[in-house]
Each structure stands twice: as C-alpha cells, then as structure tokens.
Amino acid sequence: MAGIVSYGGYVPRYRIRTREIAEMWGEDADAMEGGLRVESKSVPDEDEDTATISVEAARTAFENAPVEGDALGAVYVGSESHPYAVKPTATIVAASVGATPLMTAADLEFACKAGTAGVQAALGLVEAGRIDYGLAIGADVSQGAPGDALEYSAAAGGAAFVIGDEGVVAEIEDTTSYTSDTPDFWRREGERYPQHGERFTGKPAYFKHTEGASKALMERLGTSPDDYDYAVFHQPNGKFPVRVAQSLGFDEEQYETGLLSPKIGNTYSGASPLGLVATLDEAETGDRIFFASFGSGAGSDAFSFSVKDGIDERRTGLKETFEDVEYIDYAQYAKHKGKIRRD
Amino acid sequence: MTAPRFWRKINQRYRLVGTECRTCDTAFFPPRDLCPECRRESDIAEKAFSGEGEVVTKTVVHDAISDYDAETPYTLAVVELDEGARITAQVVEGDGEVDVGDRVEACFRRVRDEGEEGIVQYGTKFERV
Amino acid sequence: MLRDVAVVGVGQTSFGEHWERSFRDLFVTAGVRALEDAGVAGDEIDALYGGNMSAGQFIQQEHVAALIADYAGLATERVPATRVEAADASGGLAFRQAVLDVASGASDVVVASGVEKMTDLGSAETTEALAGSADREWEVFGGGNVAALYAMMARAHMDRYGTTRRQLSEVVVKNHENATNNKYAQYTNEVSAELVESTPFVSEPLRAFDCSPASDGAAAVIVVPAEDAEDYTDEPVYVEATEQASGSLAVHDRDDITTLGSTARAAERAYETANVSPGDVDVAEVHDSYTVAEILAVEDLGFAEKGDGGAFVEDGRAAVDGETPVNPSGGLKACGHPLGATGVRQVVDAAKQLRGEAGTQVEDASVAVTHNVGGTGATAVVNVLSDRNGRNRRSR
C-alpha cells in the first residue's frame, strides 16, 4: 500500500515574539499571547521564500530517502505565497533535487491545505501506477498586514513528502476531503496581504470542515480517536487545533507532539505538514496517526497513517532545529519580511 | 544577469554540479571544460559536489553592488569544498559569526532578483555546520 | 626586444572629479601635454594605443581609440589607434603595446595613453562597473565585488602573516603624505592612521580610506627608439623591461590568495630582462587600489620578504627616504584611480622621478619600477625604467 517513503521539514531560524509585535502596535501583549496561544513565530531570512523553504524541506527528505531525486515522476508544491504569480515553484524544486526533466510538475493553491492536496494528487498517480514516486510539498512565507490579527501568527516553513509504494514508512490507510465554497479568507490578485472574515473563519470554516473531513474518514475506516496514537490538525494558532482535537475526542497526549504553532506560529501550507513531520520523527512502528489539514475557501483533507518498519532510518530531528533560533525585534522583522519599501 | 545567462548554469547554481579532469583527478567548481594542467589531454566529466567544506577566508560586506545592497552587511567567504575546489559565496549566519576554518554546508537561497519585475535567481549559499 | 625604446615625453591631467570636463576633454589635455613635453608634432605620430577599462559602462561609449584619434587630431593623419583593455591594468598594457610596437621596428613614434571618465555614474553603478574586472558568473553573482575580494585577501594575509590593521592604515598615511607635493593628485591632505580607522567599513577589514577613489583623468607618454631619444629630449627615460603576466580571473581559483602570482612572474621576468635585482630599484609606483594591494605588491615585487609587507611599510622602509620608496606620487590612493589612466600615470610619475622633476622627489633615482594590476590580479604589468646614468648605467 502506498504512503510516505521519506519526509523532511524546514523552518527558518529567526523568531519574533508575539509580545514584540503587540508592543509595536500598542496592544495588550498578555491578551494577544493568551488569546492566540502563540508565543513566537518563525520569520524567514531576507533571502528565503517559498521556493527556498521547499527546496530545503525536499533535500532533507532526500537525505534519508531510499531513492534519489531522479526517481520522481511528479513534483507538486502547495502554497499561497509562490514567488511568482506565473511561473512554477515546482520546477525550481524539481531542478534542485535533480528530478528534471522526465516528470510532471505543478504549483497548487488552496490556502493552507495546498500541500495536502499535493499529497493526494501524488498518491493518486502512485496508486494508479502512473509514477513510481511523487514529491508533495506544503510551504509558505505567509503574509499578514502590519497590525492585523494575522501578523501575530503568519509564519514561514514547509514540509516535503516523498510518496510511493516501495519503502513506505507511513502507509496512507485512507484519505477523505470535505469541501465547500466558503469565503472565510482570501487574497485578490495583485494584493499584498490577505483579508479574512474574522470570527467567520472559525465555526463555519475551520471547525466545520476539519470536523467534517475527520468524521467522514473515521466513519469510512470504522475507527475512533482511541485507535490513534497521534493526532495532527491544521494550526493557525495554538487554540483552534486543541479545540478541534478535543471536540473530536482526541486528548493532549495524542496532539501535543504535532502541535508546533505555539512556538513557530502559523506556517500556512506548511502548518499541518510540519506537525506531521514532528510526529513521524517520534512515532514507532505500528503506531497510527490521524491527520487533518484545513484550507480557507474552504476544505479539509483527512488522512489515516499507519507507521511501518524503517521509520527509524527516516527521522529528521525537526524539533532539534528549533533549539538554535535567533529572536529578532520588530524593526529587523520588518526588514526581513520586506515590509520596508526602499524605492 | 539576464535570464538565459542565469538559466544556462542552473544545475551548477542549484546543485553544485561541477566537473573533474579524469586525467589528473582534479575537481573543478566553477566547472571548467579544459583542465589547466592537462589541457588537450583533459578528460572532463561532470562531477557532483557534496556541498560540504571549510571557510578559507571571509569578509563582511558593508558596501555592495546595488543588487545586494538590501542584504548588507552580509558575510562572503571563499569556501574550499571537500572535493578540492573553491568557491566564493555568501555565508548565511547571523552577525557574521562564521570564521576562517569553520565547517560549512551548502544551502539553497535567493541570490538576487532581476529587479522587482524580473526573474528570481536562486543559488547556493553556505551555513555553518 | 629587437631595439631599445625610450620615453621622451609625458603628460597628464590632474586626477579627481572633473565635473566640467568630458572623456574627450581629458585625453586631449593629457595628450597635448605629452606631445609638448616631447616636442613632437601630430604628423610625426605613427600609432596610438589607448588604455581604457570601461567607457562602455561609464559613458556608454565604445570605439574609444577612434574617438581619441579623432579628437586628438590624428584621424585626418589616418594614425592607427588601438584600444587596450585589461580592467585597471589597461593603461599599463597600452604602454607595453606602444613599447613593443616601437621595439619591433613597426613604428617609430607612438603615443601610449590611458583615460577614464568615472564620475558621470553614481557610486552604486561605479561599484557595478568595477565588478566587471572580477568573475561576474562566479564571484560577483555570489555578492563579491572587488573591494570584498581584496578584503578576503587582506583577511588571509592577516591570518597567515600577522599583518595588522594599523599596517594597512600606514599605507594610506604614507601615500597621502607623499601626495602633498603632487599638484595632479586628487587628495593632497595628510591623514592619520586613526582617521583611516574611523572611516566606515567597506568590506571588513577594509574601510573607506583603504580604497582608492573613483576619479576622472588621463595620462599620455610618447615612446621612440632609444637611438632617437636625444633628438627629442635631454632627459630620455629608457624602458629596460616591460613584462606582463596572467593569473586566474577569480581569487578562489588561486592556490595562494596572499600573493599575486601574476605580479611575481611579471616582476621576475622584468628584473631578468633589465638585469637588475629588486635591491637595485630606487623608486616604485605600485598598484595600491586597496591598501592591502600595496602590501602584496611590495612582497611580490621582491622589496620585502613574503609576509613582511605590512612591517615594510610600517617601519618606513617604503617611505620616500626609505630602502625602496613606494608610491612617492601618492599612489592610486591619493593620486586618484581613473582606471585606464593609472598605468600610464605611473610611467609619467616614474619618468619624473628619473628626471628629478617629481614633487616628492626620491634622491638620485636612477632605476624605477611601475606595477599595474587588473582587477584582483588576473593581469599584472611590471616595467623597469632607468635614466642610464650613474651607478646603474650599463652598456648594452
């Protein structure tokens, strides 16, 4: 059965504290930190973007993979911050891992779930026997307008998964999606920052779709939260994933391993995939992982993974990279994020 | 650097694909099509470099050409790759902490933009191991 | 050489920011001064060589040798004019080509000139143009401009030989002091080491005052067969050797980045041809585009032991009354560095030393060396000049 053959995550090493942003805008720092349950978020270096983060994640995945880049038949990069409006990020990634030219590639966009859409697309091609291996990436250098609520959480990071049916270490038992046309968060062509429907992003969007996909998947598989050792959800902040996990019947022991947003913020397309990377780094053979992404607009892709032999050889030590970080102030952050225009 | 000129060496810039002379067993990065030692007896083949090496010398650039102006100050180094060739590239490390003799490894970064409307040119920089 | 060659006339413009003077104004002034100095008329000239690094980038003008010939009034005489380019060694090469032309017997009266008009561009564009002397694909693309590359050579020299920040500063102190008597120099003010060390970093460890400035200027010399020299002047300056050597374009491709192999090789050949040793040299005009470049030069030219260049300058051995006076004109640092003009300007200043006409005069100077480098050292030109008087007179 097909699934994840190897994986890798990348989070830039710079961090800004929620308090620093709150103080900049004269907001109540304690209330902001407590309300979002995000202490700090990751910030890309000035020369990092979705393409570089995708490449670093992909290269980490190939460090431990049983195959080389040229084995790939497809590369999909999901993001809402592709460096180009027209010209794929996926070709940059493909070239950087030596996958070109006999392969297909495309960029995907579905707010924060474009990465898992790529996993499903690659999985379909593998299961159909069209390709041997596919690479699916979710990565973002997300944007929040200065002073907007999004600015407290919009972070940078990404994760890459090599999907195949040989050498699988996390079998995809099944996947289900729940999708509707729900305008909770958007960015129009040519606009720098996204807009959102504030509280409309919660119940009718995040919770309805995540719960919808999750329940449908468990019903189809005949599983319940008790059957899983770990649970990972999209994490736009530190609060929503905990609430959705609890409402579905998962407890802290199951979701804490994959809950990264309190430390790194919301990495958008990278968010739930990075949670999965952190979980795979700790899961043992035989463990089961429940996973659900969410993307505004809106949809959720739920997956059930079964961890297989060989997982020990694939571990990446993602969380260890969180120990060597550099905290920056708002001025440095503004420079890193290109918020200061020089022309 | 125009798009075709950048694109022509994309494998070299992205993946450190250099060359080697099999006659004298010398590795070249940047790639050479003619071995300066063996010249017409050169037997040149592609060679992939691991991207690991050591800082030979470095500087912190404060005054850069305009394309790199937004990044100053940045650390620039000559890195000797383990396979034997040397390259000039930025070292991505806060506050210029990297020093001569430090071990470094390749990472993938934006190197320059061809203006706001032009192409983004990616390539190899280094980070301290 | 098939026949000996002598310099019989020299001329230059002042170097600096010539806001009101164009590229063509500059070379005409320098050329006329050289011709007047030699007492040569335009219709006697057989050929012209023009050193210029980058008129294409600085003033969007190519085909500059033809322009020079035209505005110098030589086009009507159909004088062949050739542009010579080797970054900021262009002037040194133009001189060498002129000497070889005469030495070969092909021409009898040849003008070697160099010119650069830099200040029409802003500092960012100037740095960009200068970067054309380095490897654009593999040094500049990575963020290495010329100052950064020299800074890395300086760092390596400091690490290996213990060269100090103060020793770099002493190069500036000496060269500015020398230039106080040079009416053509861009800077004629004295500076202290402390002042040098208080200027902003350009590329660590190099600071703003470690760098030669962007300048406008032109220089020209007239060369003729040695046997005819006294028909033009009472004080001919003889070209004992003109040698040129190459090195790798990129600094990273050099086995040893604390030496310019091109300089060392050109110097070795020049001394052999001229039958002199470094100890015989009375005065040297060397390429101090950056302070560290002068330290490398005094070593690679054999005036100081390798690694000892910093101390050589600091201890006053390169001073005008020292063991080997280096850059009594003020060098590139204080004279200014109009790229393509510099190599010819060095010959002008060396000739003045040998004639005893220099502002900061080295006593009894009889053998002079000029040393011109392109970019970070992929090209070097070393000339040995003499007055064939006194202790260094030799029969040939």
Side-chain angles (χ1 to χ4, degrees):
Chain A
M1 202 182 251
I4 295 170
V5 175
S6 69
Y7 62 92
Y10 179 80
V11 178
R13 66 188 286 267
Y14 295 95
R15 300 284 186 276
I16 186 167
R17 291 193 170 89
T18 307
R19 319 193 65 81
E20 172 76 17
I21 300 172
E23 281 159 16
M24 165 72 195
W25 296 110
E27 298 284 351
D28 181 337
D30 288 332
M32 276 296 174
E33 201 179 286
L36 290 166
R37 308 252 166 82
V38 173
E39 297 165 29
S40 59
K41 67 167 191 171
S42 63
V43 180
D45 206 342
E46 289 157 71
D47 56 2
E48 290 185 299
D49 64 15
T50 291
T52 67
I53 288 170
S54 298
V55 169
E56 291 294 344
R59 286 183 175 173
T60 302
F62 276 105
E63 267 171 35
N64 304 317
V67 293
E68 305 268 327
D70 61 4
L72 294 174
V75 174
Y76 296 114
V77 180
S79 179
E80 61 175 76
S81 54
H82 289 289
Y84 292 90
V86 178
K87 196 220 157 286
T89 308
T91 53
I92 300 168
V93 176
S96 79
V97 297
T100 51
L102 286 175
M103 38 97 52
T104 184
D107 287 1
L108 303 174
E109 188 280 314
F110 194 145
C112 297
K113 83 161 189 82
T116 56
V119 171
Q120 289 178 330
L123 179 69
L125 290 173
V126 168
E127 287 182 336
R130 294 255 173 214
I131 62 172
D132 293 332
Y133 296 94
L135 177 67
I137 295 172
D140 259 306
V141 283
S142 49
Q143 296 286 356
D148 185 84
L150 289 178
E151 194 186 23
Y152 292 89
S153 56
F161 302 95
V162 177
I163 307 296
D165 64 3
E166 295 272 330
V168 170
V169 293
E171 191 177 284
I172 299 175
E173 296 176 317
D174 202 356
T175 175
T176 305
S177 297
Y178 186 100
T179 308
S180 76
D181 190 27
T182 304
D184 61 317
F185 174 107
W186 62 92
R187 178 166 66 82
R188 294 283 298 270
E189 180 72 45
E191 293 296 308
R192 289 189 80 189
Y193 300 112
Q195 302 293 316
H196 54 87
E198 299 182 12
R199 293 184 59 76
F200 183 57
T201 60
K203 199 170 173 200
Y206 179 86
F207 292 100
K208 181 180 171 189
H209 293 81
T210 306
E211 286 169 11
S214 299
K215 285 175 181 166
L217 180 64
M218 285 191 273
E219 197 175 305
R220 208 155 87 174
L221 283 170
T223 55
S224 72
D226 292 344
D227 295 319
Y228 294 96
D229 300 278
Y230 297 96
V232 180
F233 296 96
H234 176 52
Q235 32 204 285
N237 48 47
K239 200 165 64 176
F240 280 21
V242 170
R243 199 183 294 165
V244 84
Q246 287 170 347
S247 81
L248 286 164
F250 292 98
D251 59 30
E252 190 175 355
E253 212 174 303
Q254 288 164 297
Y255 64 71
E256 66 181 355
T257 304
L259 184 62
L260 308 178
S261 53
K263 298 281 187 200
I264 67 168
N266 179 8
T267 55
Y268 284 48
S269 301
S272 54
L274 278 165
L276 180 59
V277 167
T279 303
L280 289 168
D281 272 349
E282 290 183 27
E284 298 294 342
T285 305
D287 284 351
R288 288 175 93 180
I289 301 169
F290 188 85
F291 173 94
S293 64
F294 169 74
S296 288
S300 172
D301 301 327
F303 294 77
S304 178
F305 293 100
S306 169
V307 179
K308 299 295 172 194
D309 283 342
I311 188 73
D312 281 339
E313 281 87 68
R314 302 284 188 273
R315 302 197 196 278
T316 65
L318 175 69
K319 281 188 179 173
E320 288 157 35
T321 68
F322 297 175
E323 284 156 26
D324 176 31
V325 300
E326 189 174 329
Y327 288 93
I328 59 177
D329 62 22
Y330 195 90
Q332 291 168 298
Y333 163 73
K335 187 176 174 220
H336 276 233
K337 293 288 289 173
K339 287 176 195 270
I340 303 172
R341 290 189 65 91
R342 292 159 56 97
D343 48 6
Chain B
M1 190 169 292
T2 58
R5 190 172 175 191
F6 168 75
W7 165 84
R8 195 171 295 126
K9 296 291 179 194
I10 219 161
N11 266 334
Q12 288 73 24
R13 298 192 193 289
Y14 285 9
R15 297 169 55 219
L16 291 182
V17 176
T19 56
E20 64 181 334
C21 174
R22 289 176 174 165
T23 308
C24 67
D25 202 23
T26 306
F28 302 113
F29 196 95
R32 287 179 186 264
D33 296 333
L34 183 85
C35 171
E37 288 299 319
C38 305
R39 291 185 282 272
R40 272 186 299 164
E41 276 74 52
S42 300
D43 178 11
I44 299 289
E46 260 195 10
K47 178 183 177 67
F49 285 78
S50 67
E52 289 178 29
E54 192 179 303
V55 174
V56 174
T57 182
K58 68 144 205 173
T59 180
V60 176
V61 178
H62 293 259
D63 194 7
I65 61 175
S66 41
D67 291 337
Y68 302 85
D69 206 29
E71 293 173 52
T72 56
Y74 59 83
T75 301
L76 185 78
V78 171
V79 173
E80 180 157 320
L81 299 169
D82 289 349
E83 294 84 356
R86 289 175 169 188
I87 78 173
T88 300
Q90 288 185 40
V91 181
V92 188
E93 181 79 30
D95 307 315
E97 296 152 8
V98 71
D99 217 340
V100 172
D102 284 356
R103 296 283 306 164
V104 290
E105 64 182 7
C107 61
F108 189 83
R109 297 286 179 123
R110 280 169 101 112
V111 177
R112 71 182 281 276
D113 287 4
E114 190 81 1
E116 281 256 308
E117 292 166 357
I119 64 162
V120 184
Q121 298 178 344
Y122 296 92
T124 301
K125 295 185 183 179
F126 287 83
E127 57 193 358
R128 202 160 52 167
V129 178
Chain C
M1 288 195 280
L2 289 170
R3 57 178 181 171
D4 281 1
V5 178
V7 176
V8 294
V10 302
Q12 71 167 105
T13 64
S14 61
F15 283 5
E17 295 174 334
H18 287 297
W19 300 112
E20 294 177 359
R21 303 174 80 190
S22 68
F23 184 89
R24 48 191 96 183
D25 297 340
L26 292 166
F27 68 71
V28 167
T29 303
V32 166
R33 285 176 181 167
L35 289 171
E36 281 176 356
D37 188 47
V40 169
D43 58 7
E44 294 176 61
I45 295 168
D46 294 323
L48 179 146
Y49 291 88
N52 174 259
M53 172 173 166
S54 201
Q57 291 191 77
F58 287 113
I59 58 166
Q60 290 80 50
Q61 179 69 61
E62 306 293 6
H63 211 175
V64 294
L67 173 70
I68 293 172
D70 185 3
Y71 274 72
L74 302 177
T76 49
E77 300 291 336
R78 311 297 172 210
V79 172
T82 308
R83 174 182 174 175
V84 180
E85 192 276 316
D88 42 342
S90 300
L93 252 65
F95 175 73
R96 183 167 187 266
Q97 292 306 310
V99 170
L100 296 180
D101 196 344
V102 173
S104 72
S107 302
D108 286 328
V109 181
V110 178
V111 180
S113 63
V115 56
E116 208 79 46
K117 176 70 192 173
M118 297 173 75
T119 61
D120 284 354
L121 292 187
S123 59
E125 294 102 329
T126 300
T127 311
E128 182 88 38
L130 288 171
S133 71
D135 184 338
R136 291 245 28 147
E137 297 256 355
W138 301 108
E139 287 181 314
V140 184
F141 180 76
N145 53 46
V146 178
L149 297 168
Y150 269 107
M152 291 199 289
M153 290 192 245
R155 163 60 51 209
H157 203 274
M158 289 166 126
D159 285 352
R160 185 184 299 183
Y161 298 114
T163 301
T164 64
R165 176 54 254 186
R166 181 48 60 94
Q167 289 170 343
L168 297 174
S169 306
E170 293 298 342
V171 172
V172 185
V173 173
K174 170 181 69 69
N175 289 351
H176 269 250
E177 191 183 333
N178 286 345
T180 55
N181 301 311
N182 182 351
K183 65 176 178 178
Y184 296 112
Q186 185 161 356
Y187 299 118
T188 52
N189 60 313
E190 292 192 32
V191 299
S192 65
E194 291 75 17
L195 178 64
V196 175
E197 288 157 23
S198 71
T199 59
F201 277 125
V202 169
S203 206
E204 295 176 33
L206 301 181
R207 295 175 177 275
F209 274 23
D210 286 294
C211 312
S212 56
S215 320
D216 304 324
V221 302
I222 313 296
V223 294
V224 302
E227 60 197 22
D228 301 341
E230 290 183 359
D231 298 344
Y232 298 93
T233 176
D234 296 337
E235 292 182 297
V237 167
Y238 297 93
V239 183
E240 305 294 356
T242 180
E243 294 290 345
Q244 175 189 343
S246 301
S248 67
L249 184 63
V251 172
H252 55 231
D253 279 329
R254 301 175 194 163
D255 294 337
D256 181 355
I257 58 179
T258 60
T259 189
L260 297 192
S262 54
T263 296
R265 177 58 66 86
E268 187 187 324
R269 286 193 202 135
Y271 294 143
E272 194 184 318
T273 306
N275 193 24
V276 296
S277 69
D280 297 329
V281 176
D282 299 316
V283 58
E285 287 290 326
V286 312
H287 195 93
D288 60 322
S289 49
Y290 297 88
T291 46
V292 62
E294 179 167 316
I295 289 172
L296 298 179
V298 298
E299 295 169 355
D300 295 333
L301 292 167
F303 306 146
E305 291 289 309
K306 193 74 221 167
D308 232 13
F312 186 81
V313 173
E314 190 177 33
D315 297 345
R317 293 160 68 193
V320 71
D321 57 353
E323 189 178 310
T324 310
V326 174
N327 286 331
S329 65
L332 284 58
K333 171 68 192 81
C335 287
H337 184 31
L339 312 167
T342 285
V344 181
R345 193 276 302 160
Q346 293 175 320
V347 174
V348 171
D349 279 318
K352 287 180 180 170
Q353 288 290 345
L354 299 179
R355 294 171 175 184
E357 298 169 0
T360 299
Q361 178 66 46
V362 172
E363 222 173 304
D364 297 330
S366 188
V367 175
V369 158
T370 72
H371 163 248
N372 191 200
V373 172
T376 60
T379 302
V381 187
V382 174
N383 298 305
V384 179
L385 307 173
S386 90
D387 61 0
R388 295 197 180 163
N389 277 326
R391 64 194 162 91
N392 289 297
R393 182 190 288 275
R394 296 188 318 277
S395 56
R396 292 175 68 91

